[in-house]
Amino acid sequence: MDQTSQASTDNAAQGRTVLRNYVDGEFLSSDRTFLNINPVDGSVIAEVSEADQATVDRAVQAAQRALSGPWGKLSVQERAAMLHKVADGIEARFEEFVAAEVADTGRPVQQARTLDIARAVANFRTFADLAKTANTDLYEMHTADGAGALNYTVRKPLGVVGVISPWNLPLLLFTWKVAPALACGNTVVAKPSEESPSSATLLAEVMRDAGIPPGVFNLVHGFGKDSAGEFLTRHPGIAALTFTGESSTGSTIMKAVADGVKEVSFELGGKNAAVVFADSDFDAAVAGVMRSSFTNAGQVCLCSERVYVERPIFDRFVAAMRERVGQLKLGFPHEDGVDMGPLISHGHRDKVLSYYRLAREEGATVVAGGGVPRFGDERDQGAYVEPTIWTGLPDTARCVREEIFGPVCHIAPFDTEDEVVARVNDSDYGLACALWTNNLTRAHRAARRIHVGLVWVNTWYLRDLRTPFGGVKLSGLGREGGRYSLDFYSDVSNICIKL
Ligand SMILES: O=C(O)C(=O)/C=C/C=C/O
């Protein structure tokens, strides 16, 4: 491992950029690298230095030391001020972060600007301020001797927090975890997805330049078996682990941390429903379901892959969706008005296309899409798929029950509220649901009956960062957001004083 002060270097021999790990304030290359591929055209963006067990050990040890260094002595106000400086640093290099995110994912530049990087800044600022202003509990207690007792709660750092984040909203989700973990006084060893390492690596430079002390924030790259993610999960020096990704991986991580009885926060998969009642604002519902089905090429854990439409408007709704899907512009990230980019990788595209084939085998009517677009240029080497709509499948179909994580939805009619609530709840997942209705009483009633962590009514993915975020069943464990993050990233202790 050679140590340098820069997040990346040029591999002159190959003419490639090499992304580094960041451990104890130093950027480390390694003799093992993997390729980071641009999903727009299949080109190589960079080589990524893979962190071996020794590097992960070094990172955890540095993070442990940092807890008792200057970082551990900061007041919450001083910590918050540093996190605001990190947010300032992201803003100062905003376009570099946009470019990094777009290179790794091929998403429209407009989305990277208005969602991904903007939310990274918001995540740091929100949790810096929440940590400063959050209250804790105090209970005055009556006692038999009449003197009473006082109970008050204190939040203390957990220690070293392990972060494993996904490729679908890379910097948004990476900072959704790193920001509160640091705001609560912890130190962090974080592993971004191998599919989207660039923005997290750039963040390491911003952390260093903002004055975050060495060892407080550490970044390790890797993927697959026997790699940084596993080393991190199993490491005895990790006090808690937060993970966003597939449910099956979450289950594997849970087994790995079980012996150490570590705290885990999981934001996992979903097979989310959108429910459109006949009394909804039709155009708003069409626009909303287009967003919730095709945003980020359907690669958001909150996307609607199941759409239920009340029968009187079913045919009209399907026709409107078919027309709108035909108008979606698939293109290069920098093109004006582009709605959708490629999937994250050829591997993920193979998975989505396997469901496109399965749907036909299960008897779906392919209302729109169902294949691979042909551009006649370098995008044909990318990972694009057509946005797709199905109808006609039974609720038991695999395409209606399994998470596909692509730009696709199945639309089915329903007749009564009781029926659709039961069908929405008939799922192994329970993350999010979007309801479209102008009947206020029904909105409240149905929202409470649906077994998920997040319900949106007449909107989708409208986020107040103070609210709890997470799912039930296979969609996850725990809640993050607002004080829920403060409670997860802290040891909460009660102190009882006898008066
Ligand atoms: O918006 C958020 O804070 C969030 O966690 C989004 C998660 C999306 C997962 O695919």
Side-chain angles (χ1 to χ4, degrees):
M1 285 279 181
D2 75 85
Q3 299 187 352
T4 74
S5 63
Q6 294 309 311
S8 60
T9 178
D10 288 325
N11 172 337
Q14 299 278 358
R16 283 179 187 150
T17 301
V18 178
L19 298 185
R20 292 189 161 114
N21 300 289
Y22 181 66
V23 174
D24 204 9
E26 293 287 346
F27 286 99
L28 306 178
S29 297
S30 69
D31 46 15
R32 277 181 61 179
T33 64
F34 57 90
L35 295 181
N36 180 21
I37 302 295
N38 180 335
V40 168
D41 58 13
S43 62
V44 175
I45 303 168
E47 287 180 49
V48 187
S49 304
E50 198 168 351
D52 59 10
Q53 173 85 61
T55 303
V56 172
D57 289 346
R58 266 182 72 179
V60 175
Q61 286 150 19
Q64 286 173 321
R65 279 197 307 277
L67 286 167
S68 49
W71 178 254
K73 300 178 179 62
L74 292 181
S75 67
V76 67
Q77 286 77 9
E78 290 164 330
R79 255 194 337 259
M82 293 201 92
L83 295 185
H84 275 295
K85 282 184 71 177
V86 172
D88 296 343
I90 297 172
E91 284 181 332
R93 303 179 69 174
F94 198 90
E95 287 307 316
E96 286 180 70
F97 278 99
V98 169
E101 208 76 310
V102 167
D104 282 5
T105 64
R107 70 194 47 202
V109 168
Q110 186 58 10
Q111 178 195 318
R113 283 209 182 97
T114 56
L115 175 62
D116 299 85
I117 312 308
R119 264 293 305 277
V121 174
N123 289 344
F124 277 103
R125 297 204 192 286
T126 297
F127 287 109
D129 293 342
L130 272 172
K132 273 192 303 189
T133 57
N135 67 312
T136 57
D137 308 316
L138 181 136
Y139 297 96
E140 293 186 277
M141 182 182 177
H142 172 70
T143 54
D145 64 7
L150 278 185
N151 289 275
Y152 69 96
T153 309
V154 292
R155 287 197 184 97
K156 293 176 279 188
L158 294 168
V160 181
V161 172
V163 174
I164 300 180
S165 64
W167 47 257
N168 62 311
L169 298 171
L171 198 65
L172 186 158
L173 288 171
F174 188 79
T175 56
W176 178 242
K177 299 163 182 303
V178 169
L182 295 180
C184 293
N186 302 291
T187 55
V188 166
V189 180
K191 191 200 86 67
S193 168
E194 62 279 15
E195 304 284 6
S196 56
S198 302
S199 54
T201 308
L202 189 55
L203 180 65
E205 276 188 10
V206 167
M207 289 272 191
R208 180 204 55 199
D209 299 347
I212 299 287
V216 172
F217 171 79
N218 302 277
L219 181 80
V220 291
H221 294 295
F223 69 101
K225 299 291 291 170
D226 255 353
S227 71
E230 267 192 26
F231 302 148
L232 196 51
T233 303
R234 296 180 187 285
H235 202 292
I238 294 290
L241 201 100
T242 177
F243 166 71
T244 293
E246 293 192 20
S247 301
S248 55
T249 310
S251 173
T252 304
I253 289 175
M254 214 166 166
K255 290 180 189 122
V257 301
D259 295 345
V261 193
K262 294 202 179 86
E263 291 199 67
V264 291
S265 172
F266 286 159
E267 205 271 276
L268 304 178
K271 190 67 176 182
N272 309 303
V275 180
V276 183
F277 288 94
D279 69 4
S280 61
D281 174 332
F282 185 86
D283 293 339
V286 171
V289 174
M290 282 298 295
R291 272 190 69 230
S292 68
S293 296
F294 301 107
T295 294
N296 202 37
Q299 300 171 120
V300 182
C301 54
L302 304 162
C303 277
S304 314
E305 294 189 358
R306 296 186 284 157
V307 182
Y308 299 94
V309 178
E310 199 166 2
R311 198 176 298 277
I313 62 166
F314 176 77
D315 291 338
R316 185 173 157 227
F317 190 88
V318 170
M321 287 287 288
R322 176 178 40 226
E323 184 187 348
R324 290 289 300 271
V325 162
Q327 294 162 356
L328 282 177
K329 183 175 177 184
L330 278 66
F332 290 102
H334 296 80
E335 275 184 275
D336 288 342
V338 66
D339 297 298
M340 209 175 96
L343 297 173
I344 189 67
S345 68
H346 290 108
H348 183 56
R349 181 171 71 166
D350 293 345
K351 171 189 170 185
V352 173
L353 291 177
S354 74
Y355 279 99
Y356 282 18
R357 288 189 296 277
L358 175 64
R360 288 190 169 86
E361 291 158 14
E362 293 190 308
T365 299
V366 183
V367 172
V372 174
R374 281 280 161 256
F375 297 102
D377 59 32
E378 63 269 39
R379 284 170 294 176
D380 292 339
Q381 279 68 51
Y384 290 83
V385 294
E386 292 176 332
T388 296
I389 297 174
W390 300 315
T391 57
L393 288 175
D395 289 357
T396 53
R398 286 183 51 202
C399 289
V400 179
R401 300 198 66 80
E402 297 173 14
E403 181 178 53
I404 299 169
F405 219 61
V408 58
C409 66
H410 177 263
I411 309 177
F414 73 88
D415 295 299
T416 69
E417 182 183 315
D418 284 349
E419 172 207 337
V420 75
V421 166
R423 292 173 68 183
V424 169
N425 287 336
D426 175 21
S427 171
D428 299 332
Y429 295 99
L431 184 55
C433 180
L435 296 176
W436 299 88
T437 176
N438 282 324
N439 178 329
L440 196 55
T441 307
R442 166 159 48 219
H444 287 286
R445 182 177 59 233
R448 295 166 74 94
R449 294 176 66 195
I450 289 170
H451 191 199
V452 292
L454 306 142
V455 178
W456 279 287
V457 177
N458 297 332
T459 188
W460 175 75
Y461 200 35
L462 181 59
R463 290 278 292 117
D464 180 325
L465 305 188
R466 296 166 297 181
T467 58
F469 187 104
V472 300
K473 297 191 269 187
L474 284 181
S475 291
L477 268 181
R479 293 293 180 271
E480 295 196 37
R483 62 176 170 76
Y484 299 87
S485 294
L486 302 188
D487 286 344
F488 174 71
Y489 290 107
S490 303
D491 273 338
V492 178
S493 306
N494 179 67
I495 297 170
C496 177
I497 307 276
K498 182 71 184 68
L499 302 177

